[in-house]
């Protein structure tokens, strides 16, 4: 008889992916075949034309930057035209292209891959690693995502798991998984704050833990704030210092930039332990046929002043999250640190200053998310040690109005599962045969700033019928329409750029001053995507 498949917990990170399993009721990280506990979340095309994953792929970042995909977590589940994707296009060394249905996709060796396909390669690799180590087939997984992920991003991760041959038993928020790793079976009655500063995202969640009931009371975050931003500050500093000394612009050489990037991250990590480092790169460039070496000293103090505003932003987000719910800083019993970047001494010092207590020791910032996911997986699989997770919607869900405004249907921090109903509005153009409801998720009152999730297309006769937005335990959205008195699930269609969004974008563009347009164009940000959307270049 075939052995029953096992369940694992997977922390699919921006930089690294970890897999954990529960053995004898204790969760443990599964080591890779290289003996490390992490697998770099990188996919690359080898010189032989094979797709490789993990450390081998990361090693090619310098020599083959165009065909090495990293940071996929920032792109997955996003539209090609979204602000985030457009900003990342100018920064990432590989090519980000438009995939089917307007999704962001990547080109590796001239072939287009969807982001779920890329993440599936990473998940497939950790599945193999776990199968070899545990000597058993792995068929199921709990996969973690940032609390601040939209419905689309969650759906895309779920799809990646399925493509990797896994039944995704649950998508769970990273801070919730971290809280589980901390509080599981400890009989606690505490209010905790999870401060998660990873490679690409910042998440903060406040949870109330009572025995094995974990209730999320508030969440917030920024999907564009993480270790990479700290690295960028060092990269700019190093490039400037080199330019001042040699008048050579390193940004013109992708290989030199990749080396500066790797060295900058390594220096940043070293500065968590040491007070001073020197970034040294022999033969980084040439000038008139002569090799140029790079040697830039960097102190912890300098790093702190280069990145202080980034750290400040994380605490501003913490305060916003607390204020929104009327929670005082002093009522937080424990602060749990998650994510590699939270190891920075400045972060730890600021935690102490801000919350009046040091962060909780003994919770491993890199491992706790995967460990918590494994614990949840085990509790779903067996009846013992049952865990109750009471999660919350991290960003409002609603639909776009013809004015470009966002009509909120489900509020932020609303406990899941939840359901909210409204009446189907009449067609925007009188007499039109169809009604199109474009669904968005985000904090802004304008749809142009929020993420487009999909469109419900209904016949005009549906006007006035009841429509339900249901958000399930995994924070995934399902839309139901009243049909002969019964709710019937409607599938969301996706469109490259819904009309209402095009209009909102056009209006946003005309409102901007010439100066702002120029700035945005320089950054390759919204303006260039707007121009392209409208066929202007
Ligand atoms: P994660 O997404 O949790 O794997 O976090 C990875 C990020 O943490 C990367 O940006 C790393 O450079 C950063 N990181 C890892 N270790 C340290 C450290 N000791 N000090 C500062 N940053 C670190």
């Amino acid at each position: 008889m075939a052995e029953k498949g096992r369940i694992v917990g997977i922390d699919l990170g921006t930089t690294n992916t970890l897999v954990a399993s529960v053995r004898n009721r204790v969760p443990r990280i599964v080591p890779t075949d290289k003996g490390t506990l992490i697998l770099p979340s990188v996919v690359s095309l080898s010189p032989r034309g094979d797709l490789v994953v993990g450390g081998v792929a990361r090693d090619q970042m310098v020599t083959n930057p165009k065909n090495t995909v990293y940071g996929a977590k920032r792109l997955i589940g996003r539209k090609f035209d979204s602000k985030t994707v457009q900003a990342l296009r100018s920064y990432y060394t590989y090519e980000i292209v438009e995939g089917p249905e307007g999704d962001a996709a990547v080109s590796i060796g001239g072939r287009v891959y969807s982001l779920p396909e890329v993440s599936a390669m990473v998940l497939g690799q950790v599945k193999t690693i776990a199968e070899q180590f545990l000597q058993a087939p792995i068929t199921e997984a709990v996969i973690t995502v940032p609390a601040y992920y939209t419905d689309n991003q969650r759906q895309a991760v779920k799809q990646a798991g399925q493509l990797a041959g896994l039944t995704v038993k649950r998508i769970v928020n990273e801070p919730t998984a971290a809280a589980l790793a901390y509080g599981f079976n400890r009989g606690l009655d505490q209010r905790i704050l999870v401060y998660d500063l990873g490679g690409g995202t910042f998440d903060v969640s406040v949870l109330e833990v009572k025995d094995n009931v974990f209730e999320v009371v508030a969440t917030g975050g920024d999907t564009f704030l993480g270790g990479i931003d700290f690295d960028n500050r060092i990269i700019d500093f190093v490039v400037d210092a080199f330019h001042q000394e040699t008048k050579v612009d390193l940004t013109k050489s992708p290989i030199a930039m990749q080396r500066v990037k790797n060295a900058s991250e390594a220096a940043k990590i070293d500065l968590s332990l040491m007070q001073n480092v020197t970034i040294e790169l022999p033969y980084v460039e040439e000038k008139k046929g002569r090799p140029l070496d790079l040697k830039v000293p960097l102190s912890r103090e300098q790093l702190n002043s280069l990145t202080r505003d980034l750290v400040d932003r994380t605490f501003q987000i913490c305060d916003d999250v607390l204020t929104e719910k009327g929670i005082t800083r002093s009522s937080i019993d424990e602060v749990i640190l998650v994510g590699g970047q939270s190891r920075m001494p400045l972060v730890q010092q600021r935690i102490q200053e801000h919350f009046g207590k040091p962060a909780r020791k003994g919770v491993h910032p890199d491992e706790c998310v995967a460990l918590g996911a494994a614990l949840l997986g085990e509790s779903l699989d067996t009846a013992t040690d049952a865990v109750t997770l009471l999660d919350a919607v991290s960003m409002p869900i609603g639909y776009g109005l013809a004015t470009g405004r966002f009509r909120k249907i489900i509020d932020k921090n609303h406990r899941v599962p939840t359901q909210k109903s409204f009446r189907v509005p009449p067609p925007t153009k009188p007499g039109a045969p169809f009604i199109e409801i474009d669904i968005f998720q985000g904090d802004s009152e304008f749809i142009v700033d929020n993420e487009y999730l999909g469109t419900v297309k209904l016949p005009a006769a549906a006007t006035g019928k009841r429509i339900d937005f249901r958000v399930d335990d995994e924070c995934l959205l399902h839309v139901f329409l009243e049909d002969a008195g019964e709710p019937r699930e409607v599938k969301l269609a996706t469109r490259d750029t819904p009309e209402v969004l095009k209009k909102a974008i056009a209006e946003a563009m005309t409102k901007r001053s010439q100066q702002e347009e120029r700035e945005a164009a320089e950054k390759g940000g919204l303006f260039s995507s707007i121009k392209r959307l409208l066929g202007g270049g």
Side-chain angles (χ1 to χ4, degrees), residues 459-481:
T463 305
K465 283 196 172 176
R466 205 187 75 203
I467 192 158
D468 302 334
F469 277 9
R470 295 186 192 173
V471 181
D472 66 17
D473 290 335
E474 298 176 294
C475 299
L476 295 173
L477 173 71
H478 305 271
V479 179
F480 286 78
L481 178 75

Side-chain angles (χ1 to χ4, degrees), residues 50-328:
D50 310 320
L51 283 170
V52 289
V53 181
V56 211
R58 192 190 47 195
D59 292 346
Q60 295 201 53
M61 271 164 105
V62 174
T63 51
N64 193 6
K66 273 203 150 327
N67 290 314
T68 305
V69 177
Y70 53 88
K73 189 172 177 175
R74 282 182 140 180
L75 297 170
I76 194 166
R78 289 191 191 273
K79 294 284 157 205
F80 178 72
D81 288 325
S82 74
K83 277 190 196 177
T84 308
V85 172
Q86 290 305 313
L88 288 174
R89 281 183 76 202
S90 56
Y91 170 67
Y92 279 1
T93 47
Y94 54 88
E95 205 187 339
I96 301 170
V97 296
E98 183 161 1
E101 300 192 325
D103 286 337
V106 297
S107 168
I108 313 176
R111 212 196 117 181
V112 173
Y113 293 86
S114 71
L115 268 309
E117 279 176 316
V118 172
S119 294
M121 291 180 222
V122 176
L123 291 172
Q125 186 78 1
V126 290
K127 178 178 187 287
T128 307
I129 289 168
E131 284 175 339
Q132 281 171 0
F133 185 80
L134 299 168
Q135 294 286 303
I138 306 294
T139 50
E140 296 175 339
V142 169
I143 305 179
T144 61
V145 294
Y148 222 59
Y149 254 18
T150 62
D151 172 82
N152 265 359
Q153 292 168 299
R154 288 164 195 271
Q155 299 276 12
V157 169
K158 206 163 186 183
Q159 196 190 344
Q162 284 153 2
L163 287 173
L166 293 163
T167 301
V168 182
K169 289 280 279 217
R170 179 112 183 213
I171 292 286
V172 65
N173 290 337
E174 288 159 9
T176 313
L180 235 138
Y182 160 70
F184 180 73
N185 270 357
R186 289 185 55 207
L188 300 177
D189 184 359
Q190 286 184 342
R191 178 180 276 173
I192 65 171
L193 182 138
V194 180
Y195 175 105
D196 180 355
L197 188 57
T201 51
F202 174 65
D203 262 337
V204 57
S205 289
V206 180
L207 290 103
E208 272 159 18
V209 184
K210 197 163 185 350
D211 298 319
N212 275 349
V213 179
F214 295 77
E215 180 180 0
V216 178
V217 288
T219 66
D222 184 341
T223 44
F224 230 147
L225 176 57
I228 292 175
D229 303 296
F230 288 71
D231 300 348
N232 285 341
R233 295 292 170 87
I234 308 178
I235 294 169
D236 290 347
F237 174 77
V238 170
V239 167
D240 272 359
F242 190 76
H243 187 256
Q244 272 181 21
E245 200 187 314
T246 63
K247 298 283 169 283
V248 171
D249 179 6
L250 286 178
T251 60
K252 299 249 163 14
S253 158
I255 291 194
M257 281 307 282
Q258 193 57 53
R259 288 181 69 196
V260 171
K261 202 163 160 182
N262 292 350
S264 298
E265 185 184 3
K268 175 190 77 176
I269 293 173
D270 286 345
L271 286 172
S272 288
L273 275 181
M274 296 186 270
Q275 293 291 343
N276 294 286
V277 294
T278 301
I279 300 172
E280 287 193 80
L281 293 171
Y283 206 158
V284 72
E285 252 304 352
E286 289 184 343
K287 191 176 181 181
K288 295 182 184 149
R290 286 194 26 233
L292 292 174
D293 299 336
L294 179 148
K295 196 169 180 182
V296 179
L298 185 68
S299 70
R300 187 186 286 178
E301 240 349 278
Q302 279 171 303
L303 171 65
N304 289 352
S305 58
L306 288 173
T307 58
R308 196 174 299 277
D309 64 307
L310 299 175
V311 176
D312 285 347
R313 227 160 92 201
T314 65
F315 286 96
Q316 185 56 54
I317 295 170
C318 288
D319 283 350
D320 292 348
V321 165
L322 295 180
T323 315
E324 239 174 43
K325 278 276 164 178
I327 301 169
T328 59

